[in-house]
Amino acid sequence: MNYAKLRMKVFVRMLSLILLALIAVDVLYSLVRGRLGEAGVRLLQYVFGYEYDHALSIYESVLRDHWEIIMLIAISAFFLIFFYFSLSWFTKYFNEVNAGIDALVTDEADIKLSPEMSSMEQKLVFVKQTLQKRELEVQLAEQNKRDLVMYLAHDIKTPLTSVIGYLSLLHEAPDMPKEQKENYTKITLEKAYHLERLINDFFEVERYNQQTIQLKKQNVDLSYMLIQMPDEFYPSLTPAGKRMIVNVEDTITVYGDSEKLARVFNNILKNAIAYSDDNSTIEVSAKVQKDMAAVTCTNTGTTIPPDKHNQIFDKFYRLNDARSTNTGGAGLGLAIAKEIVALHEGQIDMQSENGKTVFSVKLPLISQGGYHG
């Protein structure tokens, strides 16, 4: 708070009380000791109707003969009055702060303090806003946990039911033809793998919720990283007749965490493979634009509606529940990619129209004078 202003205000008020008390005591002393004796006698005559001699006698016997006691009583009275008003002024500020804390805790009213307490008011308002923000974050975290439980209950139940069902058939029919047994075993294994992916996604969710992504930055050859992508995804591309083409400029170097950046492009390409048409081509390109490395990933498939563009990077969001269930996606890949890109002071975006979906990632290049970022 503005302590100087507050101290000055209290000092002025106390000084005013002291001056008033001194003036009142001086007036009373003058009245008792006789400098204003004549006025005192006339006052007795006027108020009570006494004769002059009677009024003078009363004045001398009551006031002049007991002036020490009267002055002591007067000084004590003024001291009590001074103490009362001083205490009232101090308790006023304590009461305001107490009311502000009540408003902070109960969240039922605005925090308003005196002008000289403006700094304290601002601090209390800031604390109140911080507490409200944290409360919303806790509510959101709880909602995410509930969503996770619902997600796991829904998606794990399907492959688990299939595994139990096919294993039961194999157990109950030991004389099953070999070809049929192999088919059931194959299906059971696929469902078990699917269940394993879902469990891995669960741990991914926990890591995402509990940890802040930490970066270990170094020079990263982005061109070389992207060129290796088709080989890594070959097993996922081949069954559906898909292929990946990479067209990048030579030696695009950024300063970042190579492992985390590889995760960004892995997550984007997994999404492109999962949602692209069979026998289609996924195109990856990278070039330098001003001071940024611009990477795009284009796939052909179902157009993403415009009203879904802002949700595509949200946690747990899955554009197509049926297809996401088949691929084991938890709806975290693009959300994690967005966070990693933001930590690298970059940008990630998505556009989808006429059956083409384009993910764009921009990352700062290394400046000539040293590392960027």
Side-chain angles (χ1 to χ4, degrees), residues 121-186:
E121 178 182 322
Q122 293 173 2
K123 291 178 181 178
L124 289 175
V125 170
F126 175 76
V127 172
K128 183 176 182 179
Q129 293 173 346
T130 302
L131 292 175
Q132 290 174 338
K133 181 181 178 182
R134 290 181 179 176
E135 183 179 358
L136 290 175
E137 290 174 350
V138 170
Q139 292 175 356
L140 181 60
E142 290 298 322
Q143 183 61 47
N144 286 342
K145 289 180 180 179
R146 288 193 291 269
D147 291 344
L148 175 60
V149 171
M150 294 298 296
Y151 161 73
L152 290 173
H154 175 267
D155 280 6
I156 290 180
K157 182 179 180 180
T158 302
L160 184 60
T161 301
S162 298
V163 169
I164 294 173
Y166 281 108
L167 287 177
S168 297
L169 290 174
L170 291 171
H171 177 70
E172 294 170 359
D175 299 332
M176 183 183 299
K178 181 180 179 180
E179 184 176 332
Q180 185 179 8
K181 183 181 293 187
E182 290 178 352
N183 184 45
Y184 284 0
T185 303
K186 178 183 177 182

Side-chain angles (χ1 to χ4, degrees), residues 50 94 106 111 119 122-123 127 140 153 169 266 285 335 338 345 363:
Y50 296 140
F94 285 115
T106 61
I111 298 174
S119 297
Q122 293 173 2
K123 291 178 181 178
V127 172
L140 181 60
L169 290 174
N266 268 282
S285 67
K338 181 179 180 180
E345 301 179 9
L363 298 167

Side-chain angles (χ1 to χ4, degrees), residues 89-115:
W89 286 333
F90 282 113
T91 55
K92 170 193 172 185
Y93 296 120
F94 285 115
N95 290 335
E96 287 186 4
V97 173
N98 185 60
I101 294 174
D102 289 340
L104 178 68
V105 175
T106 61
D107 196 24
E108 294 179 353
D110 294 334
I111 298 174
K112 296 291 183 183
L113 303 181
S114 300

Side-chain angles (χ1 to χ4, degrees), residues 134-331:
R134 290 181 179 176
E135 183 179 358
L136 290 175
E137 290 174 350
V138 170
Q139 292 175 356
L140 181 60
E142 290 298 322
Q143 183 61 47
N144 286 342
K145 289 180 180 179
R146 288 193 291 269
D147 291 344
L148 175 60
V149 171
M150 294 298 296
Y151 161 73
L152 290 173
H154 175 267
D155 280 6
I156 290 180
K157 182 179 180 180
T158 302
L160 184 60
T161 301
S162 298
V163 169
I164 294 173
Y166 281 108
L167 287 177
S168 297
L169 290 174
L170 291 171
H171 177 70
E172 294 170 359
D175 299 332
M176 183 183 299
K178 181 180 179 180
E179 184 176 332
Q180 185 179 8
K181 183 181 293 187
E182 290 178 352
N183 184 45
Y184 284 0
T185 303
K186 178 183 177 182
I187 295 174
T188 302
L189 184 60
E190 289 176 351
K191 297 299 181 181
Y193 284 146
H194 183 196
L195 186 59
E196 181 185 38
R197 289 195 298 269
L198 291 173
I199 293 173
N200 289 337
D201 284 340
F202 169 76
F203 290 110
E204 184 77 4
V205 171
E206 288 302 306
R207 286 194 296 269
Y208 186 92
N209 284 334
Q210 296 178 9
Q211 298 179 5
T212 300
I213 297 176
Q214 301 293 329
L215 300 182
K216 298 179 181 179
K217 290 188 175 183
Q218 59 184 353
N219 288 350
V220 179
D221 189 339
L222 198 60
S223 301
Y224 181 73
M225 177 186 293
L226 294 173
I227 289 172
Q228 297 180 87
M229 291 296 177
D231 293 336
E232 295 181 13
F233 285 101
Y234 181 80
S236 302
L237 293 164
T238 303
K242 302 176 184 180
R243 66 191 187 111
M244 186 182 299
I245 297 176
V246 177
N247 181 19
V248 299
E249 295 181 0
D250 293 336
T251 319
I252 301 177
T253 306
V254 297
Y255 183 58
D257 188 316
S258 60
E259 181 181 342
K260 299 300 188 298
L261 290 177
R263 190 175 182 184
V264 168
F265 298 113
N266 268 282
N267 289 350
I268 292 175
L269 290 172
K270 283 181 182 178
N271 185 82
I273 293 170
Y275 290 99
S276 60
D277 293 334
D278 292 346
N279 303 308
S280 63
T281 300
I282 298 169
E283 300 177 6
V284 179
S285 67
K287 58 183 178 180
V288 175
Q289 290 182 348
K290 296 182 180 180
D291 296 329
M292 307 289 282
V295 182
T296 60
C297 173
T298 306
N299 70 275
T300 303
T302 304
T303 302
I304 300 174
D307 60 329
K308 305 295 185 182
H309 288 191
N310 292 332
Q311 298 174 265
I312 203 73
F313 295 103
D314 291 345
K315 285 192 300 182
F316 306 113
Y317 180 77
R318 298 184 297 174
L319 184 65
N320 186 318
D321 283 338
R323 295 186 65 182
S324 297
T325 299
N326 292 332
T327 58

Side-chain angles (χ1 to χ4, degrees), residues 41-141:
V41 173
R42 289 178 180 177
L43 180 63
L44 290 173
Q45 286 182 285
Y46 177 77
V47 174
F48 298 101
Y50 296 140
E51 296 292 334
Y52 177 81
D53 292 339
H54 190 193
L56 179 61
S57 175
I58 294 174
Y59 169 77
E60 291 179 346
S61 62
V62 174
L63 295 180
R64 289 181 63 85
D65 295 344
H66 301 90
W67 71 270
E68 295 92 344
I69 298 175
I70 294 174
M71 291 300 298
L72 180 61
I73 295 173
I75 292 172
S76 299
F78 284 121
F79 173 77
L80 291 174
I81 294 172
F82 169 76
F83 179 77
Y84 171 78
F85 281 105
S86 299
L87 187 62
S88 298
W89 286 333
F90 282 113
T91 55
K92 170 193 172 185
Y93 296 120
F94 285 115
N95 290 335
E96 287 186 4
V97 173
N98 185 60
I101 294 174
D102 289 340
L104 178 68
V105 175
T106 61
D107 196 24
E108 294 179 353
D110 294 334
I111 298 174
K112 296 291 183 183
L113 303 181
S114 300
E116 58 268 23
M117 305 273 285
S118 59
S119 297
M120 174 65 77
E121 178 182 322
Q122 293 173 2
K123 291 178 181 178
L124 289 175
V125 170
F126 175 76
V127 172
K128 183 176 182 179
Q129 293 173 346
T130 302
L131 292 175
Q132 290 174 338
K133 181 181 178 182
R134 290 181 179 176
E135 183 179 358
L136 290 175
E137 290 174 350
V138 170
Q139 292 175 356
L140 181 60

